[in-house]
Amino acid sequence: QARTNKTGNDHPNTATMKFHAIAINTIFAGIHIGCNLSGALANSDKWHPSECDQQEYWNKLEPDFQTFCLKDGWTEDDWEEGWDWYDLTVERQQYWTSKGLGQDAWEQKHSHWGQLTEKRQLYYEGLGISKDIWDRDYLSLDKWEKKYIYWDDLSEERKQYYKSQGIGKDEFEMSLEWDELTPAQQRFHESRGWTAEAWDNDDKSLLKIYNEEEMEWDELTQT
């Protein structure tokens, strides 16, 4: 069963779940595959990479399913990409702190200002870090959305906000450099033929595979 976080949501990392949900819809034309390990999945001998969608603690995954996700390129570390600090177990908080990513550093890397609790906002303001400084030096809402949200999953208000800046779907989804994408996003785009070179240069001629879904109409061959 999916965990419930401090806000009462069913998922600790809504943004990452949405990313995978959109990826699944893109690949399977609207078929959503959950990561609930009970029922059909628990009785299944095979999985698809889209099922590794971070809805459960890594150490709570069934051993066979965890092995499957490992083979797909996941590690426990990138499994927690984008999670709220309070949704990490105490052991994982201690682990990340030992890696130099304590609560402050974790939030500065994974959270926009609006995701912080009021207590944490006041804490940072006491350090001289305002919302404007946070947005400039750490993770703004715009950059957070571009990192964790697909265009189709944005609210209409946020779509209009980007359109007013001349940013449409293509510009939005290609706005980050390759090394700014999450490991899951990199694997998803690699499955569609993208490489770091092709992505950073926005050059579809460098795709590893001929993928018409990634191309504009005038880029398709005539045969």
Side-chain angles (χ1 to χ4, degrees), residues 13-186:
N13 180 12
T14 304
T16 304
M17 184 178 69
K18 289 178 179 177
F19 165 76
H20 287 284
I22 297 299
I24 295 165
N25 288 339
T26 303
I27 298 171
F28 292 105
I31 300 175
H32 176 71
I33 301 177
C35 193
N36 186 343
L37 299 182
S38 62
L41 181 58
N43 296 323
S44 176
D45 294 327
K46 296 182 180 181
W47 299 277
H48 188 274
S50 58
E51 295 173 58
C52 299
D53 63 2
Q54 302 167 277
Q55 289 193 59
E56 182 58 273
Y57 286 113
W58 179 262
N59 63 3
K60 297 293 185 181
L61 300 178
E62 288 187 353
D64 289 347
F65 185 63
Q66 187 182 97
T67 299
F68 172 82
C69 292
L70 281 168
K71 290 180 178 179
D72 188 46
W74 287 93
T75 65
E76 186 170 7
D77 286 7
D78 62 57
W79 189 263
E80 294 170 342
E81 172 78 28
W83 282 22
D84 187 290
W85 176 260
Y86 296 106
D87 289 310
L88 300 172
T89 64
V90 172
E91 291 76 16
R92 293 300 290 174
Q93 289 176 351
Q94 293 171 344
Y95 165 81
W96 284 113
T97 298
S98 73
K99 295 286 188 180
L101 277 177
Q103 184 171 1
D104 289 12
W106 182 271
E107 290 175 336
Q108 291 160 9
K109 180 180 179 181
H110 295 287
S111 302
H112 65 80
W113 183 263
Q115 290 178 298
L116 302 174
T117 64
E118 183 178 359
K119 182 178 180 180
R120 292 298 289 174
Q121 289 177 354
L122 291 173
Y123 163 76
Y124 285 114
E125 288 172 346
L127 298 177
I129 302 174
S130 64
K131 179 182 182 301
D132 289 342
I133 293 175
W134 186 279
D135 288 349
R136 183 193 69 200
D137 294 346
Y138 305 122
L139 197 58
S140 67
L141 173 59
D142 288 16
K143 193 164 187 177
W144 181 86
E145 287 180 327
K146 291 171 183 176
K147 188 176 181 70
Y148 294 118
I149 304 291
Y150 258 48
W151 175 267
D152 292 338
D153 210 36
L154 292 172
S155 68
E156 286 303 316
E157 180 182 2
R158 292 300 291 173
K159 287 179 182 177
Q160 290 303 318
Y161 162 77
Y162 286 112
K163 288 177 180 178
S164 71
Q165 300 181 47
I167 299 174
K169 180 176 181 178
D170 289 345
E171 294 81 6
F172 179 85
E173 294 182 350
M174 297 288 292
S175 60
L176 296 178
E177 297 296 320
W178 183 262
D179 61 5
E180 294 178 300
L181 299 174
T182 66
Q185 288 171 317
Q186 289 180 354

Side-chain angles (χ1 to χ4, degrees), residues 186-222:
Q186 289 180 354
R187 285 193 293 273
F188 170 71
H189 291 299
E190 284 173 345
S191 73
R192 302 178 71 82
W194 289 96
T195 64
E197 181 183 8
W199 185 270
D200 288 341
N201 290 286
D202 193 15
D203 187 347
K204 296 173 183 176
S205 70
L206 298 175
L207 292 177
K208 292 187 299 182
I209 59 176
Y210 181 71
N211 187 350
E212 294 185 347
E213 292 183 7
E214 295 295 306
M215 299 181 179
E216 302 295 335
W217 178 260
D218 58 4
E219 295 174 319
L220 300 176
T221 62
Q222 295 183 0

